[in-house]
Amino acid sequence: MSDNSFGKLFSFTSFGESHGAGIGCIVDGVPPRLPISEAVIQPYLDRRKPGQSRFVTQRREDDEIEILSGVFEGMTTGTPVAMLIRNKDQRSKDYGEIARQFRPGHADFTYQGKYGIRDYRGGGRSSARETAVRVAAGAIADQMLQTVLGEGYRVHGGVVQIGPHAIDRSRLDWNETANNPFFCPDPVAAAEWEAYLDGVRKDGSSAGAILEIVADGIPAGLGQPIYGKLDSDLAAAMMTINAVKGIEIGGGFGLAAMDGREAGDEMRAGPDGPEFLNNNNGGVLGGISTGQQLVVRIAIKPTSSILTPRRSVDLDGADVDVVTKGRHDPCVGIRGVPVAEAMMAITLADAVMRHKAQCGLF
Amino acid sequence: MSDNSFGKLFSFTSFGESHGAGIGCIVDGVPPRLPISEAVIQPYLDRRKPGQSRFVTQRREDDEIEILSGVFEGMTTGTPVAMLIRNKDQRSKDYGEIARQFRPGHADFTYQGKYGIRDYRGGGRSSARETAVRVAAGAIADQMLQTVLGEGYRVHGGVVQIGPHAIDRSRLDWNETANNPFFCPDPVAAAEWEAYLDGVRKDGSSAGAILEIVADGIPAGLGQPIYGKLDSDLAAAMMTINAVKGIEIGGGFGLAAMDGREAGDEMRAGPDGPEFLNNNNGGVLGGISTGQQLVVRIAIKPTSSILTPRRSVDLDGADVDVVTKGRHDPCVGIRGVPVAEAMMAITLADAVMRHKAQCGLF
Amino acid sequence: MSDNSFGKLFSFTSFGESHGAGIGCIVDGVPPRLPISEAVIQPYLDRRKPGQSRFVTQRREDDEIEILSGVFEGMTTGTPVAMLIRNKDQRSKDYGEIARQFRPGHADFTYQGKYGIRDYRGGGRSSARETAVRVAAGAIADQMLQTVLGEGYRVHGGVVQIGPHAIDRSRLDWNETANNPFFCPDPVAAAEWEAYLDGVRKDGSSAGAILEIVADGIPAGLGQPIYGKLDSDLAAAMMTINAVKGIEIGGGFGLAAMDGREAGDEMRAGPDGPEFLNNNNGGVLGGISTGQQLVVRIAIKPTSSILTPRRSVDLDGADVDVVTKGRHDPCVGIRGVPVAEAMMAITLADAVMRHKAQCGLF
Amino acid sequence: MSDNSFGKLFSFTSFGESHGAGIGCIVDGVPPRLPISEAVIQPYLDRRKPGQSRFVTQRREDDEIEILSGVFEGMTTGTPVAMLIRNKDQRSKDYGEIARQFRPGHADFTYQGKYGIRDYRGGGRSSARETAVRVAAGAIADQMLQTVLGEGYRVHGGVVQIGPHAIDRSRLDWNETANNPFFCPDPVAAAEWEAYLDGVRKDGSSAGAILEIVADGIPAGLGQPIYGKLDSDLAAAMMTINAVKGIEIGGGFGLAAMDGREAGDEMRAGPDGPEFLNNNNGGVLGGISTGQQLVVRIAIKPTSSILTPRRSVDLDGADVDVVTKGRHDPCVGIRGVPVAEAMMAITLADAVMRHKAQCGLF
């Protein structure tokens, strides 16, 4: 029931601030006898780690995960899996103006207004640092789904637009995401983005992005109508990620302009059962998976922390000009890919368990 | 905990199928001593009622609401408010092919796959008929918010695009939504849409839409980070509405292409406290309301039930061509407006209570 | 999440007041393709019905159940099952003093204090009339458990003490509960209780009771540690029943005085696997079922509505003497048996689903 | 939603095994600006610490708490408070037979049956060691209640029976609980228990206990009918504590034998409003607090780990005789007092927030 929890049966609860003692989470509902260890989880975290290219933040965070419970001799026991990432380098230092100023586009103003207090160091709880623990939780979800759904299952994704520059979908190849610093499925676009992002950074600005996350090998039948629809849960999941301002399933906003005769996905008998002739619905009908590829896109706003001075106010309500120094991601969307993948895996793991509970009894 | 419930403190649980005995809901968490009666709720339902213009379905549904509990002498008592709308005209009739065929774009295929059984009459549980009870629940939420937030509060919205035809935002006037059959805030666009929709219908097709729902008079501080963010809850709420395939907050997908220097909403001291110079974030930062107008847009796909024959399969997996007869909405987005307003009111009522519980104690 | 809901996966939400339009509930999470109809549920309600002997209230309530949703052609569809019992005879009448007086032992005072308003007619929401819908929900749970657990499964129980008169456990025979008006498993005690209760009633007083509810054929492994323990869920379930003031599992309070060498249930290999030599733990160890008989006892206080005048105060805080007229149960514990059975069945159905979700995946 | 969570608004989620890396919890919903630090919490933990007298286990556990998040400059921030207690001395050692044997009265058999795997070291997750983190969470709840409810508020309790030896209630003085090793409110009984418990230990056996936990200064109106009743939540809370087999409110099981004319608590006008003439209902009517002292009693079974050999089976189902060595509490009820106090404080903190959310809005 916690506001810091996500998921109903496969659930996790996160804690921690950017510059506190550490961040972590408790993953509950994990099936027993699943092989899990730090070695299994760490690679997922490494994909999100800062400093992997010049297009992401150069901060040093090792994000080394420690499993505190729920695993015994390399296997889950069915009890909650707690994980901890210690924050390095929390030396007390002068945070100066940041303690009193509200950075535009950040949650400084709203946290202060809501709680009357905030841990201003590095954004505190509202920092995207929290997303590291989602990736750890997502790793367990992904491992579970591999076990339950088998070979064909895979959650993956990438960046399909940076700033105004979208990929050419005729070149879309998901295998390309490992070959460039943007998780971009179009190698030509990826090459172009390098120059674009270098320019953005030189201008003291930042860029937004659109991410596409897909799941293969998802059986039909997942999702609980009416208020536990798979797409509703996915929308909630994605919208909790920092800087996300939009989400669409399948054709999404484009469907609004489509002719009704084109929009619905027709079917025909195929050699292995019914086949859809199209996937405008992104693999979900009536909140339940169709067995097709699950397709979700999310819009991420430009990084709010930029070198260009911005107008704002301080704790006393007086005008100030805020300059955010430090080593920020010019486009937070890039490192958002493993986070969004994690949220999709968690949502699916939960959906699998909820479906099994109701429909797998007899 | 029910999959047919929405909301954490102000919550409702819905039941009912399109052609069963009736539809209804239980609204729980309603504060005591709120003036509520059928007369208060019915006008909300009437805005969603079929047959109000030639652009919506001509089915006869009175949608007459009966309050079964939780109200005593015209006031809520703090106990659950149950409401019932009896379905008229449930005479057993020949449903013929619909019992065995999967209508493209509908949930027929997925319900059958998930449950191994489905009430095929009129779409059963997956019918948009269920949304009537959300409007009833939303009416109570709206009344509560009027009491708690006072004068300036208002949730309202309209259709800002039908098919490929968007409004001209320079003409946007929310007072216009009452003056045309589309809840359209641009009178010029509304006039043009008439001819467009007539054409769509004559073609045996249907149109999608984009809706914009806004809330005025919302105080800063609503929303619970990290997994109870106001925008995450709104995304979940909207995505549960039939035919919705996308949701965005404020600038939404447009923010992805915006320059970082323009995207963040700057602030300056104003006569009554800090003022935002823009609202790209749609009234939410870090999942918490800023005190600005709350702005949500949703994408609705074209009505799946159209007169043009569509390719599909039946229960045996054999190819069939489906023709959906009957009196369907050429654009379900229109009647979606009161439903989306209701879901926003419910989400806000819940957020108000959750905020009060944690931050209003001392 | 509603405070008027019980259960996590197999859940129900109840509504209704004693003298309002009706009472009812929504049962959610019901597996699809379970044979359910009014005819299946009504016999459960009839066991709780008033007027079956001179030892229970003589009020006329037919408690005729109507299924509003979730059942199609005699089978559940996986969608929420809503049920309604209309209240008969709600003619407006003079409730006179009851509207202003707080009946001792009742919830009049606390509801008024909490909500500042109450539906005083017949106790409103706090009336035991609400328990009828639990029996209806329990009927569905019981049917589901019969399907899932098979032949040996049975939830049943009875009254093992009325006032100070306990049964003789050497005579305990659960088959006897159908043969007397007390659901008493000891025919000799049942005969003695008749005279005792007649005397209580003549004195204008009432009697308390202890109920024992057991479940047979429960597999080992149900229950979710640490805060979803089977016995914790059972305790919560039972304590929601009107007039219940205590609950114990297995040896219960008697275990406090037992020697540690006797208390733990030893085991030995048996022909069909490990066998317990005793059941002091009532079929639960560490919150998880052992596979033995599940044994729960609950204490029910004497009916608060008695003919003898009681001292109290009214809405203005002035002293009054309250005499409760009407046809009240001299011992509410008797009709509590089917209610407690229902709550156990619901708790078990939920436990089965939660166990399956986590431990039945691979 | 986690099975390892307790509470709806003021909630905590626990993790950890007896001999794993550590135990801990995340407390969520904590109001902001509450003064909290390790120094505030540690004294609560010290009351539960082993080794304080010869009547509790002599194990060395410092139970030193570390706050990982949610506190900034000595004040809560409204974000989740994570706490960690590292387990000392986890050197790998030979657990020998315990890995393969099921200790009678323990959860070894049920965990193995449920999950097919268990962390057998010291009982793993089912060890009472987990209760240390409840005490830490309870400390925060207690601090919050002190702030919200003010001076008169106090949750406290003690042991009122050990083995068959109950206190003399005419001598009950809650201030005495600090003066003896049993948290006993009757100094004469405490003196007698010393000899009794010494004997029990010499016999290689153990003793059960009855605890009474009370709350003073609780306002009327807390508790949410019907399925969030204060006494139902308390019953659930207490029944999650290791070795608890019974719970009663106020008169509890004794009420079953009481005359109806005595059982109901009559009222009379007093100088400061209505006064109850008795408290048979233990401060709860209809699931809502009356404003009287809240009175809960729980039954705790004798420690299952005793030196006397017990009959059992092993993983292969073969007969074994189990002797539990080590330094176990001869009566686990004693150290259960601070745990039960913590669970009551947590339940009350949650009830306060739930009440405020619904009834404190306007």
Side-chain angles (χ1 to χ4, degrees):
Chain A
M1 285 293 330
S2 153
D3 288 318
N4 289 277
S5 297
F6 189 82
K8 190 165 168 170
L9 293 183
F10 187 99
S11 72
F12 78 102
T13 306
S14 91
F15 67 85
E17 278 81 35
S18 176
H19 287 59
I23 57 173
C25 66
I26 303 176
V27 187
D28 202 6
V30 184
R33 301 185 312 278
L34 193 68
I36 289 290
S37 65
E38 280 93 347
V40 168
I41 294 169
Q42 197 64 49
Y44 291 83
L45 282 161
D46 291 345
R47 294 183 71 223
R48 181 198 159 278
K49 209 167 57 175
Q52 315 239 63
S53 79
R54 72 177 187 275
F55 304 106
V56 299
T57 177
Q58 299 302 307
R59 270 194 310 272
R60 249 190 74 72
E61 290 166 1
D62 284 341
D63 287 353
E64 214 172 295
I65 196 93
E66 178 189 7
I67 296 176
L68 295 171
S69 67
V71 174
F72 183 57
E73 300 182 339
M75 302 275 269
T76 57
T77 60
T79 65
V81 180
M83 296 185 282
L84 174 64
I85 300 173
R86 287 280 176 185
N87 287 332
K88 300 280 170 67
D89 187 24
Q90 323 162 39
R91 283 163 303 166
S92 178
K93 63 173 180 178
D94 181 19
Y95 282 90
E97 291 153 336
I98 208 177
R100 300 186 32 79
Q101 295 183 346
F102 301 126
R103 296 167 301 159
H106 279 286
D108 301 343
F109 176 75
T110 50
Y111 269 70
Q112 185 69 40
K114 182 177 187 71
Y115 297 117
I117 185 176
R118 74 194 157 100
D119 181 346
Y120 46 76
R121 300 168 302 168
R125 179 73 178 147
S126 70
S127 164
R129 175 142 183 71
E130 185 268 348
T131 59
V133 303
R134 309 186 189 204
V135 174
I140 298 178
D142 190 55
Q143 291 293 312
M144 173 195 135
L145 290 168
Q146 286 183 28
T147 301
V148 176
L149 303 181
E151 274 302 298
Y153 158 78
R154 188 176 162 220
V155 163
H156 57 106
V159 179
V160 296
Q161 182 178 325
I162 282 195
H165 305 292
I167 63 163
D168 179 338
R169 296 194 77 89
S170 70
R171 287 191 300 253
L172 188 146
D173 176 358
W174 288 115
N175 293 319
E176 283 294 330
T177 58
N179 302 331
N180 61 69
F182 307 108
F183 299 108
C184 177
D186 168 0
V188 180
E192 293 162 358
W193 292 353
E194 298 210 5
Y196 169 71
L197 264 192
D198 281 334
V200 162
R201 207 170 32 183
K202 264 174 220 149
D203 284 355
S205 188
S206 59
I210 296 179
L211 274 52
E212 184 165 315
I213 314 292
V214 301
D216 297 309
I218 303 303
L222 302 186
Q224 302 289 112
I226 301 284
Y227 301 103
K229 284 179 173 169
L230 185 57
D231 39 1
S232 172
D233 285 358
L234 283 167
M238 295 301 170
M239 203 61 102
T240 65
I241 302 175
N242 310 52
V244 171
K245 300 302 284 187
I247 157 135
E248 53 185 16
I249 308 285
F253 277 86
L255 276 165
M258 210 178 279
D259 187 295
R261 287 165 296 200
E262 305 304 316
D265 301 315
E266 295 180 289
M267 302 177 81
R268 273 294 175 245
D272 304 317
E275 282 176 9
F276 286 92
L277 309 180
N278 217 331
N279 192 10
N280 284 315
N281 285 290
V284 187
L285 280 172
I288 302 170
S289 64
T290 61
Q292 297 169 275
Q293 187 181 56
L294 202 60
V295 182
V296 175
R297 266 184 307 282
I298 57 177
I300 298 194
K301 68 179 183 181
T303 312
S304 295
S305 297
I306 56 177
L307 292 173
T308 304
R310 317 290 329 274
R311 290 171 289 176
S312 188
V313 298
D314 66 15
L315 271 176
D316 300 327
D319 285 353
V320 289
D321 283 343
V322 177
V323 181
T324 317
K325 291 162 203 150
R327 297 154 298 174
H328 297 282
D329 290 277
C331 173
V332 283
I334 301 168
R335 290 173 61 220
V337 170
V339 178
E341 289 170 347
M343 292 309 289
M344 185 182 273
I346 290 164
T347 305
L348 286 168
D350 193 37
V352 164
M353 291 174 69
R354 287 153 81 177
H355 178 66
K356 184 77 173 185
Q358 186 183 14
C359 298
L361 282 174
F362 53 87
Chain B
M1 285 294 328
S2 155
D3 288 319
N4 288 278
S5 297
F6 189 83
K8 189 164 169 170
L9 293 183
F10 186 98
S11 72
F12 78 102
T13 306
S14 92
F15 67 85
E17 279 80 36
S18 176
H19 287 59
I23 57 174
C25 66
I26 302 178
V27 187
D28 202 8
V30 184
R33 302 186 310 279
L34 192 68
I36 289 291
S37 64
E38 280 93 349
V40 168
I41 294 169
Q42 197 64 49
Y44 291 83
L45 282 161
D46 291 346
R47 294 183 71 222
R48 182 197 157 279
K49 208 167 58 174
Q52 315 239 62
S53 79
R54 72 176 186 275
F55 305 106
V56 298
T57 176
Q58 301 302 309
R59 270 194 308 272
R60 251 191 71 73
E61 290 165 1
D62 285 340
D63 286 355
E64 215 172 294
I65 196 92
E66 178 188 8
I67 296 176
L68 294 171
S69 68
V71 175
F72 182 56
E73 299 182 343
M75 304 273 269
T76 56
T77 60
T79 64
V81 181
M83 296 185 283
L84 175 63
I85 299 173
R86 286 279 176 187
N87 287 333
K88 301 279 169 68
D89 187 22
Q90 326 163 37
R91 284 163 301 168
S92 179
K93 63 172 180 181
D94 181 19
Y95 282 91
E97 290 153 337
I98 209 176
R100 301 186 31 80
Q101 295 184 345
F102 301 126
R103 296 167 300 160
H106 280 285
D108 301 344
F109 177 74
T110 50
Y111 269 69
Q112 186 69 39
K114 182 178 187 68
Y115 298 116
I117 184 176
R118 74 195 157 100
D119 180 346
Y120 47 76
R121 302 168 302 169
R125 180 71 180 147
S126 70
S127 163
R129 174 140 184 74
E130 185 267 351
T131 60
V133 304
R134 309 187 190 203
V135 174
I140 297 179
D142 191 54
Q143 293 292 312
M144 174 194 136
L145 290 167
Q146 287 183 29
T147 301
V148 175
L149 302 180
E151 275 302 299
Y153 158 78
R154 188 175 161 220
V155 163
H156 56 106
V159 179
V160 296
Q161 181 178 324
I162 282 195
H165 304 292
I167 62 163
D168 179 337
R169 295 195 77 88
S170 70
R171 287 191 300 253
L172 188 146
D173 176 359
W174 288 115
N175 294 319
E176 283 295 330
T177 58
N179 301 332
N180 61 70
F182 307 108
F183 300 107
C184 178
D186 169 359
V188 180
E192 293 162 358
W193 291 353
E194 298 210 5
Y196 169 71
L197 265 192
D198 280 336
V200 161
R201 209 170 29 181
K202 262 174 222 150
D203 283 356
S205 187
S206 60
I210 296 179
L211 274 54
E212 184 165 314
I213 313 292
V214 301
D216 298 309
I218 302 305
L222 303 186
Q224 302 289 111
I226 301 287
Y227 301 103
K229 284 179 172 170
L230 184 57
D231 39 2
S232 172
D233 285 357
L234 283 167
M238 295 302 170
M239 204 59 103
T240 64
I241 302 174
N242 309 51
V244 170
K245 300 302 284 188
I247 155 131
E248 53 184 15
I249 308 286
F253 277 86
L255 276 165
M258 209 178 278
D259 187 295
R261 287 164 298 200
E262 304 305 315
D265 301 314
E266 295 180 288
M267 303 178 81
R268 273 293 174 244
D272 305 315
E275 283 175 7
F276 286 92
L277 309 181
N278 216 331
N279 192 11
N280 284 316
N281 285 290
V284 187
L285 280 172
I288 303 171
S289 65
T290 61
Q292 298 170 274
Q293 188 180 56
L294 202 60
V295 182
V296 175
R297 266 185 308 282
I298 57 178
I300 298 193
K301 69 178 182 181
T303 312
S304 295
S305 297
I306 56 176
L307 292 173
T308 304
R310 318 289 330 275
R311 290 172 288 177
S312 189
V313 298
D314 65 14
L315 271 176
D316 300 326
D319 286 353
V320 288
D321 283 344
V322 177
V323 181
T324 317
K325 291 163 204 151
R327 298 154 298 176
H328 297 284
D329 290 279
C331 173
V332 284
I334 300 168
R335 289 173 62 218
V337 171
V339 177
E341 289 170 347
M343 293 308 290
M344 185 183 271
I346 289 164
T347 306
L348 286 168
D350 194 37
V352 164
M353 290 174 68
R354 287 154 81 177
H355 178 65
K356 183 78 173 185
Q358 186 183 14
C359 298
L361 281 175
F362 53 86
Chain C
M1 286 296 332
S2 153
D3 287 319
N4 288 279
S5 297
F6 189 83
K8 188 164 169 168
L9 292 184
F10 187 98
S11 72
F12 78 101
T13 307
S14 92
F15 67 86
E17 278 82 35
S18 176
H19 286 58
I23 56 174
C25 66
I26 303 177
V27 187
D28 202 7
V30 184
R33 301 187 311 277
L34 193 68
I36 289 291
S37 64
E38 280 92 348
V40 168
I41 294 169
Q42 197 65 48
Y44 292 84
L45 282 161
D46 291 345
R47 293 183 71 224
R48 183 197 157 278
K49 209 168 56 174
Q52 316 238 62
S53 80
R54 72 176 186 275
F55 304 106
V56 299
T57 177
Q58 301 301 308
R59 270 195 307 272
R60 251 191 72 74
E61 290 165 1
D62 286 341
D63 287 355
E64 214 172 294
I65 196 93
E66 178 189 7
I67 296 176
L68 295 171
S69 67
V71 175
F72 182 57
E73 298 182 342
M75 303 275 268
T76 57
T77 60
T79 65
V81 180
M83 296 184 283
L84 175 64
I85 300 173
R86 287 278 176 188
N87 287 333
K88 299 279 169 69
D89 188 21
Q90 324 163 39
R91 283 165 301 166
S92 178
K93 63 172 180 180
D94 181 19
Y95 281 90
E97 291 153 336
I98 209 177
R100 299 185 33 78
Q101 295 183 346
F102 301 126
R103 296 167 300 160
H106 280 285
D108 302 344
F109 177 75
T110 51
Y111 270 69
Q112 185 69 40
K114 182 178 187 70
Y115 298 116
I117 184 176
R118 73 193 157 100
D119 180 347
Y120 46 76
R121 301 168 303 168
R125 179 74 179 146
S126 71
S127 163
R129 176 142 182 70
E130 185 268 349
T131 60
V133 304
R134 309 186 191 204
V135 174
I140 298 179
D142 190 54
Q143 292 293 313
M144 172 193 137
L145 290 167
Q146 286 183 29
T147 301
V148 176
L149 303 180
E151 275 303 297
Y153 158 78
R154 188 176 162 219
V155 164
H156 56 107
V159 180
V160 296
Q161 182 178 323
I162 283 194
H165 304 293
I167 63 163
D168 179 337
R169 296 195 75 89
S170 71
R171 287 192 299 252
L172 188 145
D173 177 358
W174 288 115
N175 294 319
E176 284 294 331
T177 58
N179 302 331
N180 61 70
F182 307 109
F183 300 107
C184 178
D186 169 358
V188 181
E192 294 163 358
W193 291 353
E194 299 210 4
Y196 169 70
L197 263 192
D198 281 335
V200 162
R201 208 170 30 181
K202 264 174 220 149
D203 283 356
S205 189
S206 59
I210 296 180
L211 275 52
E212 184 165 314
I213 313 293
V214 301
D216 298 309
I218 303 304
L222 303 187
Q224 302 289 113
I226 301 286
Y227 301 104
K229 283 178 174 171
L230 184 57
D231 39 2
S232 172
D233 285 357
L234 284 167
M238 296 301 170
M239 203 60 102
T240 64
I241 302 175
N242 309 52
V244 171
K245 301 300 285 187
I247 155 130
E248 54 184 15
I249 308 286
F253 278 86
L255 276 165
M258 209 177 278
D259 187 294
R261 287 165 298 199
E262 305 304 316
D265 301 315
E266 295 180 289
M267 302 178 81
R268 272 294 175 244
D272 304 315
E275 282 176 10
F276 287 92
L277 308 180
N278 217 330
N279 193 10
N280 284 315
N281 285 290
V284 188
L285 280 172
I288 302 170
S289 64
T290 61
Q292 298 169 275
Q293 188 180 56
L294 202 60
V295 182
V296 175
R297 267 184 308 281
I298 57 178
I300 298 194
K301 68 179 182 180
T303 312
S304 295
S305 298
I306 55 178
L307 292 173
T308 306
R310 318 288 331 276
R311 291 171 289 177
S312 188
V313 298
D314 65 14
L315 270 176
D316 301 326
D319 285 353
V320 288
D321 283 344
V322 176
V323 181
T324 317
K325 290 162 206 152
R327 301 154 295 176
H328 297 283
D329 290 278
C331 174
V332 283
I334 301 168
R335 289 174 60 218
V337 171
V339 178
E341 290 170 348
M343 293 307 290
M344 185 182 272
I346 290 165
T347 305
L348 285 168
D350 194 38
V352 164
M353 291 175 67
R354 286 154 80 177
H355 178 64
K356 184 78 172 184
Q358 187 184 13
C359 298
L361 281 174
F362 54 88
Chain D
M1 288 297 330
S2 153
D3 287 320
N4 288 278
S5 297
F6 188 83
K8 189 165 169 171
L9 292 183
F10 187 99
S11 71
F12 78 101
T13 306
S14 92
F15 67 85
E17 278 82 34
S18 176
H19 287 59
I23 56 173
C25 66
I26 303 177
V27 187
D28 202 8
V30 184
R33 301 185 310 279
L34 193 68
I36 289 292
S37 65
E38 280 93 347
V40 169
I41 294 169
Q42 197 63 50
Y44 291 83
L45 281 161
D46 291 346
R47 294 183 71 223
R48 182 196 158 279
K49 208 166 58 174
Q52 316 239 60
S53 80
R54 72 177 185 275
F55 304 106
V56 299
T57 177
Q58 301 301 308
R59 269 194 309 272
R60 250 191 73 72
E61 290 165 1
D62 286 341
D63 287 353
E64 214 172 294
I65 196 92
E66 177 189 8
I67 296 175
L68 295 172
S69 67
V71 174
F72 182 57
E73 299 181 342
M75 304 275 269
T76 57
T77 60
T79 64
V81 181
M83 296 185 282
L84 174 64
I85 299 173
R86 286 280 176 186
N87 288 332
K88 300 279 168 67
D89 188 22
Q90 322 163 41
R91 281 164 304 165
S92 179
K93 62 173 179 180
D94 181 18
Y95 283 89
E97 291 154 336
I98 208 176
R100 301 187 30 81
Q101 296 184 345
F102 302 126
R103 296 166 300 160
H106 279 286
D108 302 343
F109 176 74
T110 51
Y111 269 70
Q112 185 69 40
K114 181 177 187 71
Y115 298 116
I117 184 177
R118 74 193 157 101
D119 180 347
Y120 47 76
R121 300 169 301 168
R125 179 72 180 148
S126 71
S127 163
R129 176 143 183 71
E130 184 267 349
T131 60
V133 304
R134 310 186 190 203
V135 174
I140 297 179
D142 191 55
Q143 292 292 312
M144 174 193 134
L145 291 167
Q146 286 184 29
T147 300
V148 175
L149 302 181
E151 274 302 298
Y153 158 78
R154 189 176 160 220
V155 163
H156 56 107
V159 179
V160 297
Q161 182 178 323
I162 282 194
H165 306 292
I167 62 163
D168 180 337
R169 295 194 77 89
S170 71
R171 286 192 301 253
L172 188 146
D173 176 359
W174 288 115
N175 294 319
E176 284 294 331
T177 57
N179 302 331
N180 60 70
F182 307 108
F183 300 108
C184 178
D186 168 0
V188 180
E192 293 163 358
W193 292 353
E194 299 210 3
Y196 169 71
L197 265 191
D198 280 336
V200 162
R201 207 169 31 182
K202 263 174 220 149
D203 283 355
S205 187
S206 60
I210 296 180
L211 275 51
E212 183 166 315
I213 313 292
V214 301
D216 298 309
I218 302 304
L222 303 186
Q224 302 290 113
I226 300 288
Y227 301 103
K229 283 178 173 172
L230 185 57
D231 39 2
S232 171
D233 285 357
L234 284 167
M238 296 300 171
M239 204 60 102
T240 65
I241 302 174
N242 310 52
V244 171
K245 300 301 284 187
I247 156 133
E248 53 184 16
I249 309 287
F253 278 86
L255 277 165
M258 210 178 278
D259 187 294
R261 287 164 298 198
E262 304 305 315
D265 301 315
E266 295 180 288
M267 301 177 82
R268 272 294 175 243
D272 305 317
E275 282 176 9
F276 286 92
L277 309 180
N278 217 330
N279 191 12
N280 284 316
N281 284 289
V284 187
L285 280 171
I288 302 171
S289 65
T290 61
Q292 297 169 275
Q293 187 180 56
L294 202 60
V295 182
V296 175
R297 265 185 309 281
I298 57 178
I300 298 194
K301 69 178 182 181
T303 312
S304 295
S305 297
I306 56 177
L307 291 173
T308 305
R310 318 289 330 276
R311 290 171 289 177
S312 188
V313 298
D314 65 14
L315 271 176
D316 300 326
D319 285 353
V320 289
D321 284 344
V322 176
V323 181
T324 317
K325 291 163 204 150
R327 300 153 295 175
H328 297 283
D329 290 278
C331 173
V332 283
I334 300 168
R335 289 174 60 218
V337 170
V339 178
E341 290 170 348
M343 292 309 289
M344 186 182 272
I346 289 164
T347 306
L348 286 168
D350 194 36
V352 164
M353 291 174 67
R354 287 154 80 177
H355 178 65
K356 183 78 172 185
Q358 186 183 13
C359 299
L361 281 175
F362 53 88

